[in-house]
Amino acid sequence: MHDWTLLTLLFDWQTATVTISFRASHAKAASLIANGVSHLDVPRLNEWGRSVSVNKVHGPVDNGRGEQRLQIEMQSGDVIAISATSFVLPNDMIGKVQPLETVVDGK
């Protein structure tokens, strides 16, 4: 997903579904869907400078509470974090995401 463009992020509160739309590197549209969302963090601080492009994706991995966690690191330095019961990944993304580093005791 490196260099994919993030187009939209939609949180359907009633169904607890997040849909993130991207334009893939080959100009093809792709969507990531999170179902049963319990947590969504979408900072936009642009610490590394303004960007709409993805740097890398970590997860989804089991968080030990019956959910999975996925993080999308933007080239702006912002990290979009989602906890959900399941994820539907774009075909181009399956098998290409990096493992999520586990945070222990806040470290």
Side-chain angles (χ1 to χ4, degrees), residues 10-88:
L10 173 69
F11 190 175
D12 184 327
W13 189 266
Q14 184 173 357
T15 63
T17 302
V18 169
T19 303
I20 306 176
S21 299
F22 301 92
R23 184 175 49 247
S25 55
H26 43 64
K28 181 176 145 185
S31 293
L32 181 152
I33 301 170
N35 297 300
V37 175
S38 64
H39 180 89
L40 174 64
D41 188 28
V42 187
R44 190 174 184 277
L45 302 174
N46 296 315
E47 293 178 15
W48 300 344
R50 294 182 60 172
S51 179
V52 296
S53 299
V54 173
N55 190 36
K56 55 188 164 184
V57 175
H58 301 276
V61 295
D62 184 10
N63 69 4
R65 296 183 301 273
E67 294 182 322
Q68 298 177 329
R69 184 164 172 87
L70 181 126
Q71 293 181 339
I72 301 170
E73 179 183 282
M74 300 298 294
Q75 291 181 16
S76 64
D78 295 298
V79 177
I80 299 167
I82 306 169
S83 293
T85 55
S86 67
F87 289 89
V88 178

